Amino acid sequence: MQPKNKQAGFYVLETLLSIMIFFSACLTLIPIQHQLMIEKKLIREEDKASYFLSNKMHEAILENLNQGTEIYKNVISSPLTLTITYSDSMIEGCVIWDNVKKQKTTKCQYAIPQ
């Protein structure tokens, strides 16, 4: 007769506990990582839209672009609607788009005409 291994039950319990901790960590960290990736895309889109708007505002100041609304489809993942409005004392430029979270986002910049 072989001697009984009194540690066998402990090894099974230890293994189950370590697997439970591993999966708990995974199920906690994966949604956080996903949310971070979405926020990173959101910030990147906003930066690109702001940069695009800044360039168009410089063109509006230097070249007196026509007042109105235009749609640009290849700047970010969704279409950008650019609106430039002239008044006596300033130029207003706004871009509107649907962001990664499917929310309508507006970014505006203002300039003094020369």
Side-chain angles (χ1 to χ4, degrees), residues 43-55 75-76 80 82 95-97 105 107 109:
I43 291 170
R44 192 175 297 136
E45 263 188 2
E46 189 171 329
D47 284 346
K48 285 182 181 180
S50 293
Y51 183 72
F52 176 76
L53 176 60
S54 179
N55 286 340
V75 178
I76 57 175
L80 274 177
L82 171 70
V95 287
I96 301 169
W97 75 97
T105 306
K107 198 77 164 167
Q109 293 181 358

Side-chain angles (χ1 to χ4, degrees), residues 15-67:
T15 304
L16 289 175
L17 185 62
S18 63
I19 289 172
M20 186 181 74
I21 291 171
F22 174 76
F23 282 119
S24 295
C26 287
L27 293 175
T28 301
L29 295 176
I30 289 174
I32 293 171
Q33 178 67 23
H34 180 68
Q35 187 65 31
L36 286 173
M37 289 173 55
I38 289 174
E39 293 296 326
K40 188 176 178 181
K41 286 180 185 177
L42 189 76
I43 291 170
R44 192 175 297 136
E45 263 188 2
E46 189 171 329
D47 284 346
K48 285 182 181 180
S50 293
Y51 183 72
F52 176 76
L53 176 60
S54 179
N55 286 340
K56 289 299 181 179
M57 288 296 288
H58 284 288
E59 288 178 19
I61 292 169
L62 297 175
E63 301 171 10
N64 284 335
L65 294 177
N66 292 335
Q67 179 171 320

